[in-house]
């Protein structure tokens, strides 16, 4: 947390060698004190799985949600990304590592896990998939508040997480 825009290049450089603070298994078995978030939106009739997947893997969905993004590359296993969001006068930087990727004819997406210095500890999955004759975008996140500020004021932390999640869903709908 800081009052000026974070130096994402410096944070990315520091984060590349660090290990995730959460495990992929959290999506199936959340730890105690974790908040579980699941959201889903039906994409419009003009949406294509390939185009939405390209936007997702190229970080366009995240940028469209209002985040400032600096990744080491497109989303792929091992990619490190630092995201920044402004909340009132404060800036928060959130480093993550992509730990899982899915690419099939009917589903595409990835999951990332938080790295040290992220305000939370958790994992978040982003998927675009066919559901019958519809195309949907879904988010599944499991996280604990590990930053002192979010532990003291969890409602505010939830509001920020919800705002970013709504931004992802809106951006995916394009």
């Amino acid at each position: 947390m800081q009052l000026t825009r974070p130096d994402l290049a410096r944070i990315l450089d520091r984060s590349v060698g660090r290990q995730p603070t959460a495990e992929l298994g959290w999506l199936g078995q959340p730890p105690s004190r974790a908040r579980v978030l699941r959201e889903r939106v039906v994409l419009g009739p003009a949406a294509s799985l390939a185009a939405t997947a390209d936007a997702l893997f190229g970080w366009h969905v995240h940028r469209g949600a209002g985040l400032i993004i600096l990744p080491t590359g497109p989303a792929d296993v091992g990619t490190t990304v630092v995201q920044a969001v402004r909340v009132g006068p404060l800036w928060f930087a959130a480093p993550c590592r992509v730990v899982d990727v899915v690419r099939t004819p009917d589903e595409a997406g990835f999951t990332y896990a938080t790295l040290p210095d992220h305000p939370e500890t958790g994992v978040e999955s982003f998927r675009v998939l066919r559901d019958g004759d519809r195309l949907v975008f879904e988010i599944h996140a499991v996280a604990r508040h590990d930053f002192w500020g979010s532990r003291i004021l969890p409602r505010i932390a939830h509001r920020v997480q919800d705002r970013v999640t709504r931004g992802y869903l809106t951006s995916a709908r394009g």
Side-chain angles (χ1 to χ4, degrees):
M1 170 180 69
Q2 58 191 72
L3 290 172
T4 59
R5 184 175 166 162
D7 181 347
L8 297 187
R10 184 180 58 77
I11 297 167
L12 182 66
D13 188 53
R14 186 175 65 224
S15 298
V16 166
R18 292 179 160 179
Q19 294 302 308
T21 57
E23 297 182 20
L24 184 59
W26 283 24
L27 291 173
Q29 293 185 311
S32 64
R33 300 183 356 251
R35 180 180 191 218
V36 177
L37 183 141
R38 285 182 178 266
E39 294 291 336
R40 179 178 237 222
V41 64
V42 175
L43 302 179
S48 81
L49 192 139
T52 305
D54 287 348
L56 181 61
F57 284 98
W59 303 104
H60 302 293
V61 170
H62 287 66
R63 286 186 180 98
L67 299 174
I68 298 168
I69 301 288
L70 184 59
T72 57
D76 200 357
V77 173
T79 299
T80 301
V81 60
V82 178
Q83 307 165 82
V85 63
R86 189 173 184 177
V87 180
L90 302 174
W91 284 90
F92 293 86
C96 298
R97 167 105 13 84
V98 177
V99 294
D100 185 53
V101 169
V102 173
R103 280 190 185 261
T104 71
D106 292 321
E107 180 179 2
F110 66 88
T111 302
Y112 56 45
T114 57
L115 293 171
D117 299 326
H118 192 293
E120 308 225 328
T121 297
V123 291
E124 191 162 19
S125 172
F126 304 88
R127 299 279 190 270
V128 56
L129 55 116
R130 294 188 203 291
D131 182 10
D133 61 348
R134 305 179 311 171
L135 192 62
V136 298
F137 179 74
E138 61 183 28
I139 299 168
H140 181 193
V142 175
R144 288 191 312 227
H145 301 306
D146 284 336
F147 168 63
W148 64 266
S150 54
R151 281 195 309 253
I152 293 170
L153 301 167
R155 281 184 169 169
I156 293 172
H158 290 169
R159 268 194 246 143
V160 172
Q161 185 182 29
D162 292 346
R163 181 185 91 191
V164 172
T165 299
R166 281 191 309 275
Y168 293 143
L169 297 170
T170 300
S171 179
R173 259 188 271 170

